[in-house]
Amino acid sequence: MSKEIKAQVLVIGSGPAGYSAAFRSADLGMNVVLVEKFNTLGGVCLNVGCIPSKALLHVAKVKEEAEHISAHGLTYAEPTIDIAKIAAYKNGVVKKLTDGLSAMSKMRNVTVVQGTALFVDKNTVKVTGKEDVTITFENAIIAAGSRPIKLPFIPHEDPRIWDSTDALDLKEIPKKLLIMGGGIIGLEMGTVYQKLGSSIDVVEMQDQLVPVADKDVIKMYTKANSKRFNIMLNTKVAKVEAKEDGIHVSMEGEGIQAEPFVYDAVLVAIGRAANGKLLNLENAGVKVNDWGIIEVDKQMRTNVEHIFAVGDIVGQPMLAHKGVHEAHVAAEVIAGKKHYFEPKVIPSIAYTFPEIAWVGMTEKEAIAAGIDYEVSTFPWAASGRALASDVSQNGMTKLIFDKKDHTLIGGALVGDNAGELLGEITLALEMDCDAEDIALTIHAHPTLHESVGMAAEIYEGSITDLP
Ligand code: FAD
């Protein structure tokens, strides 16, 4: 007979959305059971996403900087690359964080059940794992995440065809690697592998990399990476064949060779699909759309009153920080608080070289919304700190204002540490700042964040004389 547990709040999935839901529910005094099918807590983000990718990007960045500094009189010997040691560093970072989550679960008396949960009815799930467990619950928060999209014409079973998890494994450095899909995940992994020695082609169907971001921002990034990557835009992968001498990839696009390209490995990074169809949710009467996305209201409630869903499984943007905030809302609503998920903005960052970061409206979105807007940009070529740090060539700060009242409606940065600099713009948007608010805020000199103040000052027409 399977073990039986009762939960006031059942959380399915222990990624950023799941552990945040479980911890907030426990902090609010509820009895919580957290089910996770992986062996460790943390979901995609901690185990095979945000964190391991940033650990590898850190190593790649140190190599990049060491190479650049030789132009300024500091030359190191040619580096030796020990991929086992780099992978061990990455795994160590992941372990510290996932162990930390286990400890925090214990501290909060959250019961963790290892196994795969499937709905039996609207108050019961069955978990199949080391031991079978039947859980009856008063409320459930589904945070079962997403998985990489696979295409039927790609032989995904061949070990040379990678998804992001395979790429993060860092088992080998292929001589020739194709990144299929010019989005954030593909470009981040391409950055790592190029720095470790791979020759990289990037193929993207649309007319720019990271298609959701604005053209001028991506133009600067693309120019900075024209030597790092061979970039093929407006190009479609038509056929992929796994042969003995490599992966043969036929592509269609203007000026693209008719014969297939041959690669040692192909990273398929064309997006992620929500896991909504993998939970037997029909047994609980929860609506899931054709894309596997669970539909929720502003309180993260599904069509079934006591069942909530948060994180990647409720759709775009599939970002860890979005899931965390949704999770807090769900837990607080269950605890009886009046809370809604209605952020003004959700920031996006590509941790590439240089980084690309944007938040709020893009120009594309402002045009689509019919907003009369104005843009102010500050090129980092005019920033003392950027020049001193040798990051001035590929950097800019861009602010987008509503023309009618000069309120900030969006912002973007390309450049070193752009992701960290985005925080100020995010807060300014959330606080409804206008150009004057930002321009009158004293920014320390010399810093890169000074560029945010300068872009606002330029817009205000009161350009200071600080370089
Ligand atoms: P997940 O993290 O996907 O967790 C879901 C969990 O549910 C998993 O652990 C899964 O095993 C478990 N689960 C699923 N079904 C069941 C079931 N039936 N029973 C029990 N358990 C189940 N986002 C950022 O914000 N910043 C980044 O820098 C970033 N980098 C990324 C890099 C890569 C390579 C990838 C792949 C993703 C990256 N993301 C990043 C996206 C981020 O990882 C996701 O948005 C985030 O993990 C979503 O959190 P979640 O809690 O919704 O789901």
Side-chain angles (χ1 to χ4, degrees):
M1 228 183 66
S2 80
K3 193 171 153 187
E4 288 182 15
I5 305 183
K6 280 192 169 59
Q8 207 174 347
V9 180
L10 164 72
V11 180
I12 301 176
S14 72
Y19 71 71
S20 302
F23 292 176
R24 183 59 60 95
S25 300
D27 291 346
L28 290 168
M30 295 184 279
N31 150 23
V32 182
V33 175
L34 173 62
V35 186
E36 171 54 58
K37 69 177 177 192
F38 282 173
N39 290 325
T40 52
L41 301 181
V44 168
C45 183
L46 270 68
N47 290 284
V48 288
C50 328
I51 298 302
S53 58
K54 276 34 171 215
L56 296 182
L57 279 159
H58 167 68
V59 173
K61 188 164 186 208
V62 171
K63 183 166 183 281
E64 172 97 344
E65 286 178 347
E67 285 163 5
H68 272 152
I69 202 76
S70 69
H72 309 304
L74 188 60
T75 305
Y76 293 91
E78 195 56 33
T80 54
I81 294 175
D82 181 340
I83 59 166
K85 227 170 168 171
I86 297 173
Y89 164 65
K90 172 211 45 153
N91 294 339
V93 172
V94 168
K95 188 166 176 349
K96 265 189 205 140
L97 288 167
T98 55
D99 284 355
L101 284 182
S102 295
M104 285 191 272
S105 304
K106 279 201 189 96
M107 268 165 46
R108 289 174 156 97
N109 286 326
V110 169
T111 305
V112 176
V113 175
Q114 200 262 315
T116 302
L118 293 177
F119 281 82
V120 177
D121 60 41
K122 67 181 173 50
N123 287 99
T124 319
V125 296
K126 230 185 180 120
V127 180
T128 316
K130 274 184 209 141
E131 56 175 338
D132 293 350
V133 183
T134 300
I135 304 172
T136 50
F137 58 85
E138 287 170 36
N139 302 280
I141 304 177
I142 305 165
S146 63
R147 62 191 186 284
I149 290 177
K150 295 190 173 183
L151 293 176
F153 70 93
I154 296 179
H156 289 279
E157 65 290 349
D158 189 286
R160 296 163 298 175
I161 307 268
W162 295 352
D163 62 18
S164 53
T165 302
D166 301 317
L168 286 166
D169 243 8
L170 203 70
K171 290 235 167 69
E172 55 172 320
I173 308 297
K175 249 176 136 171
K176 249 190 136 327
L177 172 65
L178 173 68
I179 308 286
M180 191 175 157
I184 296 179
I185 293 176
L187 293 178
E188 287 186 1
M189 294 320 302
T191 304
V192 168
Y193 275 88
Q194 188 273 340
K195 222 58 248 166
L196 297 181
S198 295
S199 150
I200 311 267
D201 285 359
V202 179
V203 58
E204 166 58 50
M205 258 179 27
Q206 302 208 35
D207 64 355
Q208 68 169 60
L209 299 172
V210 196
V212 286
D214 269 336
K215 259 206 159 52
D216 54 345
V217 170
I218 296 306
K219 198 169 160 199
M220 179 168 258
Y221 169 81
T222 307
K223 193 164 157 244
N225 279 277
S226 59
K227 290 204 179 95
R228 192 186 308 278
F229 303 136
N230 171 37
I231 299 166
M232 295 176 274
L233 299 175
N234 293 311
T235 303
K236 192 175 145 198
V237 170
K239 196 170 171 192
V240 181
E241 286 176 293
K243 296 193 176 174
E244 211 169 303
D245 65 336
I247 305 293
H248 290 229
V249 181
S250 307
M251 300 189 208
E252 290 167 1
E254 214 181 298
I256 297 290
Q257 67 185 45
E259 53 286 358
F261 294 77
V262 181
Y263 296 99
D264 300 300
V266 174
L267 167 60
V268 183
I270 52 170
R272 297 181 64 81
N275 283 336
K277 294 220 167 153
L278 310 179
L279 294 154
N280 287 359
L281 276 164
E282 61 284 2
N283 292 342
V286 173
K287 271 195 208 148
V288 182
N289 77 12
D290 290 347
W291 303 99
I293 291 169
I294 301 175
E295 287 163 21
V296 288
D297 65 14
K298 277 188 173 181
Q299 292 195 309
M300 312 314 298
R301 203 189 293 270
T302 67
N303 61 307
V304 178
E305 179 135 14
H306 63 285
I307 302 183
F308 295 72
V310 293
D312 282 9
I313 204 158
V314 302
Q316 295 292 348
M318 291 191 178
L319 292 168
H321 40 280
K322 183 210 69 158
V324 168
H325 281 262
E326 290 173 340
H328 292 161
V329 170
E332 290 179 11
V333 170
I334 292 171
K337 293 182 189 289
K338 264 203 170 161
H339 196 173
Y340 298 87
F341 183 71
E342 42 189 15
K344 276 222 176 87
V345 294
I346 301 172
S348 296
I349 302 169
Y351 299 82
T352 42
F353 302 168
E355 291 185 357
I356 314 163
W358 69 100
V359 60
M361 281 201 165
T362 58
E363 283 189 69
K364 294 178 203 183
E365 286 167 343
I367 292 166
I371 294 174
D372 199 5
Y373 68 91
E374 283 176 321
V375 171
S376 179
T377 51
F378 184 78
W380 288 17
S383 153
R385 184 60 195 270
L387 278 159
S389 310
D390 193 18
V391 293
S392 63
Q393 307 91 327
N394 302 315
M396 73 157 170
T397 300
K398 168 178 175 178
L399 299 179
I400 307 176
F401 297 98
D402 191 325
K403 202 169 170 180
K404 87 174 170 309
D405 57 6
H406 300 186
T407 307
L408 185 70
I409 57 168
L413 298 128
V414 187
D416 199 46
N417 268 319
E420 300 294 338
L421 302 177
L422 194 68
E424 178 181 358
I425 304 179
T426 308
L427 184 63
L429 283 161
E430 198 65 45
M431 302 292 293
D432 254 341
C433 290
D434 62 17
E436 194 180 25
D437 295 323
I438 303 169
L440 290 180
T441 301
I442 299 180
H443 292 76
H445 175 73
T447 56
L448 294 175
H449 77 253
E450 210 177 6
S451 66
V452 178
M454 298 297 264
E457 279 191 38
I458 291 169
Y459 183 66
E460 282 287 283
S462 55
I463 307 157
T464 72
D465 50 6
L466 270 179

